[in-house]
Amino acid sequence: MNVTFCCTDTKAEPWLAGLRMAMPHASVSEWQPGAPPADHAVVWAPPQQFLDEQTRLKGLFNIGAGVDALLKLRLPPHAKVVRLDDAGMSVQMAEYVCHAVIRHFREFDGYEADVAHGKWSYRKPRMRADFPIGVMGLGVLGERVARALHQFDFPVHGWSRSSKAIDGVVSHTGAAQFDSFLASCRVLVNLLPLTPDTRDILNHRTLSRLRPGGYVINVARGAHLVDDDLLALLDSGHLAGATLDVFRTEPLPAAHPFWTHPLITVTPHTSARTLREESIAQIAGKMLALERGEPIAGLVDPVRGY
């Protein structure tokens, strides 16, 4: 079995060493233009030239959970696109979202500002019942986030394309229940895959349907959010704040208003990072299963986009 590695802005050698250790009988190498055909590829943002040359690929294994950038390219005709199921990302995402929610709910951001000015302050405790949280997208990451939020006794709602049964989470399904889902929420967490249907889904109309004083947490893709609509709703007072980890242009341009807006917390796309050892173990296991003709999890439907 020949495996090629083509991951933009990723140091190849640790991945190559790990893949060789996990699959000692495979030939593993970093792709170079004109390289011989491979059976499978480990990729992140590969150039179109790579895909045009590697026409015999049986599997394209993406080292991130999101495959929207990969699906924009012309793919080899018979290659299966495979995403990571978890590989240590879901617990990171749950940590990040719970931190953002609790920081806002407990008003720790306000305390931090007061302390910076030498002010000893007190805020009346809020009721969790007044802060229902909605999680958009209930895949592997979204389900873990919803379950974690439920552990803190917040009312949790989930919205997804197909119905999901998760203990402690009120499920809303499809376009018919989208507006009622939004109206149920004061905090909105976006974990949707980026597809033509979900691009710009966080816009003035949808965010206006959140309860007054709403809070937005976007940890999916920057193109889900219409930046100017968020700013307008923050400045009008309908939204109380936002935590944003993903942006339309990354790194976030220095002049972008998100950097300095007092109600926005910015982090540099770090909510859930790929963990190399866990990812290698999962990718190697799936490659070997495909070679044996066995079914695997994480296959992407190019039509749906996830």
Side-chain angles (χ1 to χ4, degrees), residues 145-262:
V145 167
R147 291 185 184 277
L149 291 167
H150 173 63
Q151 291 299 310
F152 287 99
D153 292 341
F154 288 103
V156 181
H157 297 256
W159 181 76
S160 55
R161 176 174 174 169
S162 57
S163 181
K164 300 290 180 70
I166 303 171
D167 288 344
V169 178
V170 180
S171 178
H172 304 254
T173 306
Q177 296 183 12
F178 186 45
D179 284 353
S180 63
F181 160 76
L182 293 170
S184 301
C185 305
R186 185 165 174 179
V187 178
L188 184 65
V189 181
N190 179 39
L191 276 158
L192 291 170
L194 182 62
T195 70
D197 290 336
T198 64
R199 183 176 294 272
D200 298 331
I201 196 170
L202 301 176
N203 56 51
H204 196 282
R205 189 196 76 81
T206 56
L207 297 179
S208 294
R209 292 186 175 274
L210 298 178
R211 295 187 180 186
Y215 195 86
V216 177
I217 300 171
N218 189 19
V219 286
R221 287 290 185 266
H224 284 123
L225 175 66
V226 180
D227 295 0
D228 289 343
D229 289 358
L230 174 67
L231 292 168
L233 288 166
L234 288 169
D235 293 342
S236 74
H238 181 72
L239 295 180
T243 292
L244 307 176
D245 187 53
V246 290
F247 308 92
R248 289 179 179 267
T249 300
E250 296 183 359
L252 185 64
H256 199 289
F258 285 172
W259 282 113
T260 56
H261 198 289

Side-chain angles (χ1 to χ4, degrees), residues 83-165:
R83 58 172 171 75
L84 292 175
D85 300 322
D86 184 340
M89 287 188 286
S90 68
V91 66
Q92 295 178 70
M93 191 64 80
E95 290 170 344
Y96 181 99
V97 172
C98 287
H99 176 272
V101 168
I102 292 168
R103 182 173 183 266
H104 174 63
F105 172 70
R106 295 287 303 274
E107 299 185 86
F108 289 143
D109 50 349
Y111 286 118
E112 289 168 6
D114 288 347
V115 168
H117 292 89
K119 181 181 178 181
W120 185 276
S121 60
Y122 175 80
R123 286 168 170 78
K124 182 179 178 180
R126 293 165 155 178
M127 302 296 293
R128 284 171 174 75
D130 295 332
F131 280 81
I133 302 169
V135 179
M136 298 171 63
L138 294 174
V140 173
L141 301 184
E143 179 174 343
R144 182 65 179 266
V145 167
R147 291 185 184 277
L149 291 167
H150 173 63
Q151 291 299 310
F152 287 99
D153 292 341
F154 288 103
V156 181
H157 297 256
W159 181 76
S160 55
R161 176 174 174 169
S162 57
S163 181
K164 300 290 180 70

